[in-house]
Coordinates of all heavy atoms in Angstrom, one line a residue:
M1 N 1.5 33.9 -9.6 CA 2.6 33.3 -8.7 C 2.0 33.0 -7.3 O 2.3 32.0 -6.7 CB 3.8 34.2 -8.7 CG 4.9 33.6 -8.0 SD 5.6 32.4 -9.2 CE 7.2 32.2 -8.5
A2 N 1.2 33.9 -6.7 CA 0.7 33.7 -5.4 C -0.2 32.5 -5.3 O -0.2 31.8 -4.4 CB -0.1 35.0 -4.9
A3 N -1.0 32.3 -6.3 CA -1.9 31.1 -6.3 C -1.1 29.8 -6.3 O -1.5 28.9 -5.7 CB -2.8 31.2 -7.5
R4 N 0.1 29.9 -7.0 CA 0.9 28.7 -7.0 C 1.4 28.4 -5.6 O 1.5 27.2 -5.3 CB 2.1 29.0 -8.0 CG 3.0 27.8 -8.1 CD 4.0 28.1 -9.1 NE 4.1 27.0 -10.0 CZ 4.9 27.0 -11.1 NH1 5.5 28.1 -11.4 NH2 4.9 25.9 -11.8
R5 N 1.8 29.3 -4.8 CA 2.3 29.1 -3.5 C 1.2 28.6 -2.5 O 1.6 28.0 -1.5 CB 2.9 30.4 -2.9 CG 4.3 30.6 -3.4 CD 4.9 31.8 -2.7 NE 5.2 32.8 -3.7 CZ 4.9 34.0 -3.6 NH1 4.2 34.5 -2.6 NH2 5.2 34.9 -4.6
C6 N 0.0 28.9 -2.7 CA -1.0 28.5 -1.8 C -1.4 27.1 -1.9 O -2.3 26.6 -1.1 CB -2.3 29.4 -1.9 SG -3.3 29.1 -3.3
G7 N -0.9 26.3 -2.8 CA -1.2 24.9 -2.8 C -2.2 24.5 -3.9 O -2.2 25.2 -5.0
R8 N -3.0 23.6 -3.6 CA -4.0 23.0 -4.6 C -5.0 24.1 -5.0 O -5.5 24.8 -4.2 CB -4.7 21.9 -3.9 CG -4.8 20.7 -4.6 CD -5.4 19.6 -3.9 NE -6.4 20.1 -2.9 CZ -7.0 19.3 -2.1 NH1 -6.7 18.1 -1.9 NH2 -7.9 19.8 -1.3
P9 N -5.3 24.2 -6.3 CA -6.3 25.1 -6.7 C -7.7 24.7 -6.2 O -7.9 23.6 -5.8 CB -6.3 25.1 -8.2 CG -5.5 23.8 -8.6 CD -4.7 23.5 -7.4
R10 N -8.6 25.7 -6.1 CA -9.9 25.5 -5.5 C -10.6 24.3 -6.1 O -11.3 23.6 -5.4 CB -10.7 26.8 -5.7 CG -12.1 26.7 -5.3 CD -12.8 28.0 -5.4 NE -14.2 27.9 -5.2 CZ -15.1 28.7 -5.6 NH1 -14.8 29.7 -6.4 NH2 -16.4 28.5 -5.3
G11 N -10.5 24.1 -7.4 CA -11.3 23.1 -8.0 C -10.8 21.6 -8.0 O -11.4 20.7 -8.5
S12 N -9.7 21.4 -7.2 CA -9.1 20.1 -7.3 C -9.4 19.2 -6.1 O -8.8 18.2 -5.9 CB -7.6 20.2 -7.5 OG -7.1 20.8 -6.3
A13 N -10.4 19.5 -5.3 CA -10.8 18.6 -4.1 C -11.3 17.3 -4.6 O -12.0 17.2 -5.6 CB -11.8 19.4 -3.2
D14 N -11.0 16.3 -3.9 CA -11.5 14.9 -4.2 C -13.0 14.9 -4.0 O -13.5 15.0 -2.9 CB -10.8 13.9 -3.3 CG -11.3 12.5 -3.5 OD1 -12.0 12.2 -4.4 OD2 -10.9 11.7 -2.7
P15 N -13.8 14.6 -5.0 CA -15.3 14.6 -4.9 C -15.8 13.5 -4.0 O -16.8 13.7 -3.3 CB -15.8 14.4 -6.4 CG -14.6 14.1 -7.2 CD -13.3 14.4 -6.4
V16 N -15.1 12.4 -3.9 CA -15.5 11.3 -3.0 C -15.3 11.8 -1.5 O -16.2 11.6 -0.7 CB -14.7 10.0 -3.2 CG1 -15.0 9.0 -2.2 CG2 -14.9 9.5 -4.6
Y17 N -14.3 12.5 -1.2 CA -14.0 13.0 0.1 C -15.1 14.1 0.5 O -15.7 14.0 1.5 CB -12.6 13.7 0.2 CG -12.4 14.4 1.5 CD1 -12.2 13.7 2.7 CD2 -12.3 15.8 1.5 CE1 -11.9 14.4 3.8 CE2 -12.1 16.5 2.7 CZ -11.9 15.8 3.8 OH -11.7 16.5 5.0
L18 N -15.4 14.9 -0.5 CA -16.4 16.0 -0.2 C -17.8 15.3 0.0 O -18.6 15.8 0.8 CB -16.5 17.0 -1.4 CG -15.2 17.9 -1.5 CD1 -15.3 18.7 -2.7 CD2 -15.0 18.7 -0.3
R19 N -18.2 14.3 -0.8 CA -19.4 13.6 -0.6 C -19.5 13.0 0.8 O -20.5 13.1 1.5 CB -19.7 12.6 -1.7 CG -20.4 13.1 -2.9 CD -20.9 12.0 -3.8 NE -19.8 11.0 -4.2 CZ -19.0 11.2 -5.3 NH1 -19.1 12.3 -6.0 NH2 -18.1 10.3 -5.6
A20 N -18.4 12.4 1.2 CA -18.3 11.8 2.5 C -18.5 12.8 3.6 O -19.2 12.6 4.6 CB -17.0 11.0 2.7
E21 N -17.9 13.9 3.5 CA -18.0 15.0 4.5 C -19.4 15.5 4.5 O -20.0 15.8 5.6 CB -17.0 16.2 4.1 CG -15.6 15.8 4.3 CD -15.2 15.7 5.8 OE1 -14.9 16.6 6.5 OE2 -15.3 14.5 6.3
R22 N -20.0 15.7 3.4 CA -21.4 16.2 3.4 C -22.3 15.2 4.0 O -23.3 15.5 4.8 CB -21.8 16.4 1.9 CG -23.0 17.3 1.8 CD -23.2 17.6 0.3 NE -24.2 18.7 0.2 CZ -24.5 19.4 -0.8 NH1 -23.8 19.2 -1.9 NH2 -25.4 20.3 -0.8
E23 N -22.1 13.9 3.8 CA -22.9 12.8 4.4 C -22.7 12.8 5.9 O -23.7 12.7 6.7 CB -22.6 11.5 3.8 CG -23.5 10.4 4.3 CD -25.0 10.6 4.0 OE1 -25.3 11.2 2.9 OE2 -25.9 10.3 4.8
G24 N -21.5 13.0 6.3 CA -21.2 13.1 7.8 C -21.9 14.3 8.4 O -22.4 14.2 9.6
I25 N -22.0 15.4 7.7 CA -22.7 16.5 8.2 C -24.2 16.2 8.5 O -24.8 16.5 9.5 CB -22.6 17.7 7.3 CG1 -21.1 18.3 7.4 CG2 -23.6 18.8 7.6 CD1 -20.8 19.3 6.3
K26 N -24.8 15.5 7.5 CA -26.2 15.1 7.6 C -26.4 14.2 8.8 O -27.4 14.4 9.6 CB -26.7 14.4 6.3 CG -26.8 15.4 5.2 CD -27.3 14.6 3.9 CE -27.3 15.5 2.7 NZ -27.6 14.7 1.5
Q27 N -25.5 13.3 9.0 CA -25.6 12.3 10.1 C -25.4 13.0 11.4 O -26.0 12.6 12.4 CB -24.7 11.1 9.9 CG -25.1 10.3 8.7 CD -24.1 9.1 8.4 OE1 -23.2 9.0 9.2 NE2 -24.4 8.4 7.4
A28 N -24.5 14.0 11.5 CA -24.2 14.6 12.7 C -25.3 15.3 13.4 O -25.4 15.5 14.6 CB -23.0 15.6 12.5
W29 N -26.3 15.8 12.6 CA -27.4 16.5 13.1 C -28.4 15.6 13.8 O -29.4 16.0 14.3 CB -28.1 17.4 12.1 CG -27.6 18.8 12.3 CD1 -28.3 19.8 12.7 CD2 -26.3 19.3 12.0 NE1 -27.6 21.0 12.8 CE2 -26.3 20.7 12.4 CE3 -25.1 18.8 11.6 CZ2 -25.2 21.5 12.3 CZ3 -24.0 19.7 11.5 CH2 -24.1 21.0 11.8
D30 N -28.2 14.3 13.7 CA -29.0 13.3 14.5 C -30.5 13.5 14.5 O -31.0 13.8 15.6 CB -28.4 13.1 15.9 CG -28.8 11.9 16.6 OD1 -29.1 10.9 15.9 OD2 -29.0 11.9 17.8
G31 N -31.1 13.4 13.4 CA -32.6 13.6 13.4 C -33.1 15.0 13.2 O -34.2 15.2 12.7
E32 N -32.3 16.0 13.5 CA -32.6 17.3 13.2 C -32.3 17.6 11.8 O -31.5 17.0 11.1 CB -31.8 18.3 14.1 CG -32.1 18.1 15.6 CD -31.2 19.1 16.4 OE1 -31.0 20.2 16.0 OE2 -30.8 18.7 17.5
H33 N -32.9 18.7 11.3 CA -32.6 19.1 9.9 C -31.2 19.7 9.8 O -31.0 20.8 10.4 CB -33.7 20.1 9.4 CG -33.5 20.5 8.0 ND1 -33.7 19.7 6.9 CD2 -33.1 21.7 7.5 CE1 -33.4 20.4 5.8 NE2 -33.1 21.6 6.1
A34 N -30.4 19.1 9.1 CA -29.0 19.6 8.9 C -29.1 20.9 8.0 O -30.0 21.1 7.2 CB -28.1 18.6 8.2
P35 N -28.2 21.8 8.2 CA -28.1 23.0 7.4 C -28.1 22.7 5.9 O -27.4 21.7 5.5 CB -26.9 23.7 7.8 CG -26.6 23.2 9.2 CD -27.1 21.8 9.2
D36 N -28.8 23.4 5.1 CA -28.7 23.2 3.7 C -27.4 23.8 3.1 O -27.0 24.9 3.5 CB -29.9 23.9 3.0 CG -31.2 23.3 3.3 OD1 -31.2 22.0 3.4 OD2 -32.2 24.0 3.4
L37 N -26.7 23.0 2.4 CA -25.4 23.3 1.8 C -25.4 23.4 0.3 O -26.1 22.5 -0.3 CB -24.3 22.4 2.3 CG -24.1 22.2 3.7 CD1 -23.1 21.1 4.0 CD2 -23.7 23.5 4.4
R38 N -24.8 24.3 -0.3 CA -24.5 24.4 -1.7 C -23.0 24.1 -1.9 O -22.2 24.8 -1.4 CB -24.9 25.7 -2.3 CG -24.8 25.8 -3.8 CD -25.2 27.1 -4.4 NE -24.4 28.2 -4.0 CZ -24.9 29.2 -3.3 NH1 -26.1 29.3 -3.0 NH2 -24.1 30.2 -2.9
A39 N -22.7 23.1 -2.6 CA -21.3 22.7 -2.9 C -20.9 23.4 -4.1 O -21.6 23.5 -5.1 CB -21.2 21.2 -3.0
D40 N -19.7 23.9 -4.1 CA -19.0 24.6 -5.2 C -17.6 24.2 -5.2 O -16.8 24.9 -4.4 CB -19.2 26.1 -5.2 CG -18.7 26.8 -6.4 OD1 -18.4 26.1 -7.4 OD2 -18.5 28.0 -6.3
K41 N -17.2 23.2 -5.9 CA -15.8 22.7 -5.9 C -15.4 22.3 -4.5 O -15.9 21.3 -4.0 CB -14.9 23.7 -6.6 CG -15.3 24.0 -8.0 CD -14.4 24.9 -8.8 CE -15.1 25.1 -10.1 NZ -14.4 26.1 -10.9
S42 N -14.5 23.0 -3.9 CA -14.1 22.6 -2.5 C -14.7 23.5 -1.4 O -14.1 23.6 -0.3 CB -12.6 22.6 -2.5 OG -12.0 23.9 -2.7
W43 N -15.8 24.2 -1.7 CA -16.4 25.0 -0.7 C -17.8 24.6 -0.5 O -18.5 24.1 -1.4 CB -16.5 26.5 -1.2 CG -15.2 27.1 -1.4 CD1 -13.9 26.6 -1.2 CD2 -14.9 28.4 -2.0 NE1 -13.0 27.5 -1.5 CE2 -13.6 28.6 -2.0 CE3 -15.8 29.4 -2.4 CZ2 -13.0 29.8 -2.5 CZ3 -15.2 30.6 -2.9 CH2 -13.8 30.8 -2.9
F44 N -18.3 24.7 0.7 CA -19.7 24.5 1.1 C -20.2 25.9 1.5 O -19.7 26.5 2.5 CB -19.9 23.5 2.2 CG -19.6 22.1 1.9 CD1 -18.9 21.3 2.8 CD2 -20.0 21.5 0.7 CE1 -18.6 20.0 2.5 CE2 -19.7 20.2 0.4 CZ -19.0 19.4 1.3
T45 N -21.3 26.4 0.9 CA -21.9 27.6 1.3 C -23.2 27.2 2.1 O -24.0 26.3 1.6 CB -22.3 28.5 0.1 OG1 -21.1 28.8 -0.6 CG2 -23.0 29.8 0.6
V46 N -23.4 27.7 3.3 CA -24.5 27.4 4.1 C -25.7 28.3 3.8 O -25.6 29.5 4.0 CB -24.2 27.5 5.6 CG1 -25.3 27.0 6.5 CG2 -22.9 26.8 5.9
I47 N -26.7 27.7 3.2 CA -27.8 28.5 2.7 C -28.6 29.1 3.9 O -28.9 28.5 4.9 CB -28.8 27.6 1.9 CG1 -28.1 26.8 0.8 CG2 -30.0 28.4 1.4 CD1 -27.4 27.7 -0.2
G48 N -28.8 30.5 3.8 CA -29.5 31.2 4.8 C -28.7 31.6 6.0 O -29.2 32.1 7.0
H49 N -27.4 31.5 6.0 CA -26.6 31.9 7.1 C -25.4 32.8 6.7 O -24.6 33.1 7.6 CB -26.0 30.6 7.8 CG -27.0 29.9 8.6 ND1 -27.3 30.2 9.9 CD2 -27.7 28.8 8.3 CE1 -28.2 29.4 10.4 NE2 -28.5 28.5 9.4
D50 N -25.2 33.1 5.5 CA -24.1 33.9 5.1 C -22.8 33.3 5.6 O -21.9 34.0 6.2 CB -24.2 35.4 5.5 CG -25.2 36.2 4.6 OD1 -25.4 35.7 3.4 OD2 -25.8 37.1 5.1
A51 N -22.7 32.0 5.5 CA -21.6 31.3 6.1 C -21.0 30.3 5.0 O -21.8 29.9 4.2 CB -21.9 30.5 7.3
Q52 N -19.7 30.1 5.1 CA -19.1 29.2 4.1 C -18.0 28.5 4.8 O -17.3 29.0 5.6 CB -18.5 30.1 3.0 CG -18.2 29.4 1.7 CD -17.9 30.4 0.6 OE1 -16.8 31.0 0.7 NE2 -18.7 30.6 -0.4
L53 N -17.8 27.2 4.3 CA -16.7 26.4 4.8 C -15.8 26.1 3.5 O -16.3 25.7 2.5 CB -17.2 25.0 5.3 CG -18.2 25.1 6.4 CD1 -19.5 24.7 5.9 CD2 -17.7 24.2 7.5
R54 N -14.5 26.4 3.7 CA -13.6 26.2 2.6 C -12.6 25.2 2.9 O -11.9 25.3 4.0 CB -13.0 27.5 2.2 CG -13.9 28.6 1.7 CD -13.2 29.8 1.3 NE -14.1 30.9 1.0 CZ -13.8 32.0 0.5 NH1 -12.5 32.3 0.3 NH2 -14.6 32.9 0.2
L55 N -12.4 24.2 2.1 CA -11.4 23.2 2.3 C -10.1 23.8 1.9 O -9.9 24.4 0.8 CB -11.6 21.9 1.5 CG -10.7 20.8 1.7 CD1 -10.6 20.3 3.1 CD2 -11.0 19.6 0.7
G56 N -9.1 23.8 2.8 CA -7.8 24.4 2.5 C -7.0 23.7 1.5 O -7.3 22.6 1.1
P57 N -5.9 24.3 1.1 CA -5.0 23.7 0.1 C -4.4 22.4 0.5 O -4.0 21.7 -0.4 CB -4.0 24.8 -0.2 CG -4.1 25.8 0.9 CD -5.4 25.6 1.5
D58 N -4.3 22.2 1.8 CA -3.7 20.9 2.2 C -4.7 19.8 2.1 O -4.4 18.6 2.2 CB -3.2 21.0 3.7 CG -4.3 21.3 4.7 OD1 -5.5 21.4 4.3 OD2 -4.0 21.2 5.9
G59 N -6.0 20.1 1.9 CA -7.0 19.1 1.8 C -7.5 18.5 3.1 O -8.2 17.5 3.1
H60 N -7.1 19.1 4.2 CA -7.4 18.5 5.5 C -8.1 19.5 6.5 O -8.8 19.1 7.4 CB -6.2 17.9 6.2 CG -5.6 16.8 5.5 ND1 -6.2 15.5 5.4 CD2 -4.5 16.7 4.7 CE1 -5.5 14.8 4.6 NE2 -4.4 15.4 4.2
L61 N -7.8 20.8 6.3 CA -8.3 21.8 7.2 C -9.5 22.5 6.6 O -9.4 22.9 5.4 CB -7.3 22.8 7.6 CG -6.1 22.3 8.5 CD1 -5.1 23.4 8.8 CD2 -6.7 21.8 9.8
W62 N -10.5 22.8 7.4 CA -11.7 23.6 6.9 C -11.6 25.0 7.5 O -11.4 25.1 8.7 CB -13.0 22.9 7.3 CG -13.2 21.6 6.6 CD1 -12.8 20.4 6.9 CD2 -13.9 21.5 5.3 NE1 -13.2 19.5 5.9 CE2 -13.9 20.1 4.9 CE3 -14.5 22.4 4.4 CZ2 -14.4 19.7 3.8 CZ3 -15.0 22.0 3.3 CH2 -15.0 20.6 2.9
Y63 N -11.8 25.9 6.6 CA -11.7 27.3 7.0 C -13.1 28.0 7.1 O -13.8 27.9 6.1 CB -10.8 28.1 6.0 CG -9.4 27.7 6.1 CD1 -8.9 26.5 5.5 CD2 -8.5 28.5 6.7 CE1 -7.6 26.2 5.6 CE2 -7.1 28.2 6.8 CZ -6.7 27.0 6.2 OH -5.4 26.6 6.3
P64 N -13.5 28.6 8.2 CA -14.8 29.2 8.2 C -14.8 30.6 7.7 O -13.8 31.4 7.9 CB -15.1 29.3 9.7 CG -13.8 29.3 10.4 CD -12.8 28.6 9.5
Y65 N -15.8 31.0 6.9 CA -15.9 32.3 6.4 C -17.3 32.8 6.6 O -18.3 32.1 6.7 CB -15.7 32.3 4.9 CG -14.2 32.4 4.5 CD1 -13.4 31.2 4.6 CD2 -13.6 33.5 4.1 CE1 -12.1 31.2 4.3 CE2 -12.2 33.6 3.8 CZ -11.5 32.4 3.9 OH -10.2 32.4 3.6
R66 N -17.5 34.2 6.8 CA -18.8 34.8 6.9 C -18.8 35.9 5.8 O -17.8 36.6 5.5 CB -19.0 35.5 8.2 CG -19.2 34.5 9.3 CD -20.0 35.1 10.4 NE -20.4 34.0 11.3 CZ -21.5 33.2 11.1 NH1 -22.2 33.4 10.0 NH2 -21.7 32.3 11.9
K67 N -20.0 36.1 5.3 CA -20.2 37.2 4.3 C -20.6 38.5 5.1 O -21.5 38.5 5.9 CB -21.3 36.9 3.3 CG -21.3 37.8 2.1 CD -22.3 37.2 1.1 CE -22.1 37.9 -0.2 NZ -22.9 37.3 -1.3
R68 N -19.7 39.5 4.9 CA -19.9 40.8 5.5 C -19.7 41.9 4.5 O -18.7 41.9 3.8 CB -18.9 41.0 6.6 CG -18.9 40.0 7.7 CD -19.7 40.5 8.9 NE -19.4 39.6 10.0 CZ -20.4 38.8 10.6 NH1 -21.6 38.9 10.1 NH2 -20.1 38.1 11.6
Y69 N -20.7 42.8 4.4 CA -20.6 43.9 3.5 C -20.3 43.5 2.1 O -19.5 44.1 1.3 CB -19.5 44.9 4.0 CG -19.7 45.3 5.4 CD1 -18.8 44.8 6.4 CD2 -20.7 46.1 5.8 CE1 -18.9 45.2 7.7 CE2 -20.9 46.4 7.2 CZ -20.0 46.0 8.1 OH -20.2 46.3 9.4
G70 N -20.9 42.4 1.7 CA -20.8 41.9 0.3 C -19.6 41.1 0.0 O -19.4 40.7 -1.2
A71 N -18.7 40.8 0.9 CA -17.5 40.1 0.7 C -17.3 39.0 1.7 O -17.9 39.1 2.8 CB -16.3 41.0 0.7
W72 N -16.6 37.9 1.4 CA -16.3 36.8 2.3 C -15.1 37.1 3.1 O -14.0 37.4 2.6 CB -16.2 35.5 1.5 CG -17.4 35.1 0.9 CD1 -17.8 35.2 -0.4 CD2 -18.5 34.4 1.6 NE1 -19.1 34.7 -0.6 CE2 -19.5 34.2 0.6 CE3 -18.7 34.0 2.9 CZ2 -20.7 33.5 0.9 CZ3 -19.9 33.4 3.2 CH2 -20.9 33.1 2.2
W73 N -15.2 36.9 4.5 CA -14.1 37.2 5.4 C -13.9 36.0 6.3 O -14.8 35.3 6.7 CB -14.5 38.4 6.3 CG -14.6 39.7 5.5 CD1 -15.7 40.2 4.9 CD2 -13.6 40.6 5.3 NE1 -15.5 41.3 4.3 CE2 -14.2 41.6 4.5 CE3 -12.2 40.7 5.6 CZ2 -13.4 42.7 4.0 CZ3 -11.5 41.8 5.1 CH2 -12.1 42.8 4.4
P74 N -12.6 35.7 6.7 CA -12.3 34.7 7.6 C -13.1 34.9 8.9 O -13.3 36.0 9.4 CB -10.8 34.8 7.9 CG -10.3 35.5 6.7 CD -11.4 36.4 6.2
A75 N -13.6 33.7 9.5 CA -14.5 33.8 10.6 C -14.0 32.9 11.8 O -14.8 32.5 12.6 CB -15.9 33.5 10.2
G76 N -12.8 32.6 11.8 CA -12.3 31.8 12.9 C -11.0 31.0 12.4 O -10.5 31.3 11.3
F77 N -10.6 30.1 13.2 CA -9.4 29.3 12.9 C -9.8 28.0 12.1 O -10.9 27.5 12.4 CB -8.7 28.9 14.2 CG -8.2 30.1 14.9 CD1 -8.8 30.6 16.0 CD2 -7.0 30.7 14.5 CE1 -8.3 31.7 16.7 CE2 -6.5 31.8 15.1 CZ -7.1 32.3 16.2
P78 N -9.0 27.6 11.3 CA -9.2 26.3 10.5 C -9.2 25.1 11.5 O -8.4 25.2 12.5 CB -8.1 26.3 9.5 CG -7.0 27.1 10.1 CD -7.7 28.2 10.9
Q79 N -10.0 24.1 11.1 CA -10.0 22.9 11.9 C -10.1 21.7 11.0 O -10.7 21.9 9.9 CB -11.2 22.9 12.9 CG -11.2 24.0 13.9 CD -12.4 23.9 14.8 OE1 -12.8 22.8 15.3 NE2 -13.1 25.0 15.0
P80 N -9.7 20.6 11.4 CA -9.8 19.4 10.5 C -11.3 18.8 10.5 O -11.7 18.1 9.6 CB -8.8 18.4 11.1 CG -8.6 18.8 12.5 CD -8.8 20.3 12.5
D81 N -12.0 19.2 11.5 CA -13.4 18.7 11.7 C -14.4 19.6 11.1 O -14.8 20.6 11.7 CB -13.7 18.5 13.2 CG -15.0 17.8 13.5 OD1 -15.8 17.6 12.5 OD2 -15.3 17.5 14.6
V82 N -14.9 19.2 9.9 CA -15.9 20.1 9.2 C -17.2 20.3 10.0 O -17.8 21.4 10.0 CB -16.2 19.5 7.8 CG1 -17.0 18.2 7.9 CG2 -17.0 20.5 6.9
I83 N -17.6 19.3 10.8 CA -18.8 19.4 11.6 C -18.6 20.5 12.7 O -19.5 21.3 13.0 CB -19.2 18.1 12.2 CG1 -19.5 17.1 11.0 CG2 -20.3 18.2 13.2 CD1 -19.6 15.7 11.4
A84 N -17.4 20.5 13.3 CA -17.1 21.5 14.3 C -17.2 22.9 13.7 O -17.8 23.8 14.3 CB -15.8 21.3 15.0
V85 N -16.6 23.1 12.6 CA -16.5 24.4 11.9 C -18.0 24.8 11.6 O -18.4 26.0 11.9 CB -15.6 24.4 10.7 CG1 -15.7 25.7 9.9 CG2 -14.2 24.1 11.1
L86 N -18.7 23.9 11.0 CA -20.1 24.2 10.6 C -21.0 24.6 11.8 O -21.7 25.5 11.8 CB -20.7 23.1 9.8 CG -22.1 23.2 9.4 CD1 -22.3 24.5 8.5 CD2 -22.6 22.0 8.7
S87 N -20.8 23.8 12.9 CA -21.6 24.0 14.1 C -21.3 25.4 14.7 O -22.3 26.1 15.1 CB -21.2 23.0 15.2 OG -21.6 21.7 14.7
E88 N -20.1 25.9 14.7 CA -19.8 27.2 15.1 C -20.4 28.3 14.2 O -20.8 29.3 14.7 CB -18.3 27.4 15.2 CG -17.6 26.6 16.3 CD -16.1 26.7 16.4 OE1 -15.5 27.5 15.6 OE2 -15.5 25.9 17.1
L89 N -20.4 28.0 12.9 CA -20.9 29.0 12.0 C -22.4 29.2 12.1 O -22.9 30.3 11.9 CB -20.5 28.6 10.6 CG -19.1 28.9 10.1 CD1 -18.8 28.3 8.8 CD2 -18.8 30.4 10.1
V90 N -23.1 28.1 12.4 CA -24.6 28.2 12.4 C -25.2 28.3 13.8 O -26.4 28.4 14.0 CB -25.3 27.0 11.7 CG1 -24.8 27.0 10.2 CG2 -25.0 25.7 12.3
A91 N -24.3 28.4 14.8 CA -24.8 28.5 16.2 C -25.6 29.8 16.3 O -25.2 30.8 15.7 CB -23.6 28.5 17.2
P92 N -26.6 29.8 17.2 CA -27.5 31.0 17.3 C -26.7 32.3 17.7 O -27.0 33.4 17.3 CB -28.5 30.6 18.4 CG -28.5 29.2 18.3 CD -27.2 28.7 17.9
D93 N -25.6 32.1 18.5 CA -24.9 33.3 18.9 C -23.6 33.5 18.1 O -22.7 34.2 18.5 CB -24.5 33.1 20.4 CG -23.7 31.9 20.7 OD1 -23.6 31.0 19.8 OD2 -23.1 31.8 21.8
A94 N -23.6 32.9 16.9 CA -22.3 33.0 16.1 C -22.1 34.4 15.6 O -21.0 34.7 15.2 CB -22.5 32.0 14.9
D95 N -23.1 35.2 15.4 CA -22.8 36.5 14.9 C -22.5 37.4 16.1 O -21.9 38.3 16.2 CB -24.1 37.1 14.2 CG -24.3 36.5 12.8 OD1 -23.3 36.1 12.2 OD2 -25.4 36.3 12.4

């Protein structure tokens, strides 16, 4: 019942939207090497950073997560701009 209340299930994100977001991330780094991402349905895991971006059930807000003690924990407030969320997660002083 709780999963029903939270909106769209994890696997139902629009693949075209996710591809566009991923391409936007690559372009945003403007010549620098963009963080390596592993896509899993509506989540992007940032390789080498113990960081994850999750598309919320509304399909518009990105939620930052960090892996701590073997589990994923919220790491800030959701934002509609995936690049802003990712930039905060991989910033050198983010931990």
Side-chain angles (χ1 to χ4, degrees):
M1 190 74 161
R4 182 178 226 172
R5 278 189 242 128
C6 76
R8 228 174 36 187
R10 176 177 173 203
S12 65
D14 177 11
V16 174
Y17 173 73
L18 292 176
R19 271 194 303 275
E21 290 291 274
R22 197 172 192 167
E23 188 58 36
I25 289 168
K26 288 178 187 176
Q27 292 176 4
W29 259 253
D30 194 32
E32 296 179 36
H33 180 70
D36 291 323
L37 302 175
R38 182 177 64 240
D40 183 18
K41 300 183 183 175
S42 61
W43 297 357
F44 291 138
T45 301
V46 186
I47 307 301
H49 286 276
D50 284 334
Q52 198 172 69
L53 302 108
R54 298 182 183 185
L55 184 61
D58 66 354
H60 298 287
L61 292 177
W62 289 92
Y63 292 76
Y65 278 78
R66 289 211 169 275
K67 194 169 194 177
R68 303 261 193 244
Y69 308 109
W72 291 100
W73 295 89
F77 294 101
Q79 299 181 45
D81 184 354
V82 68
I83 296 164
V85 175
L86 179 58
S87 296
E88 290 175 11
L89 282 172
V90 299
D93 60 346
D95 285 330

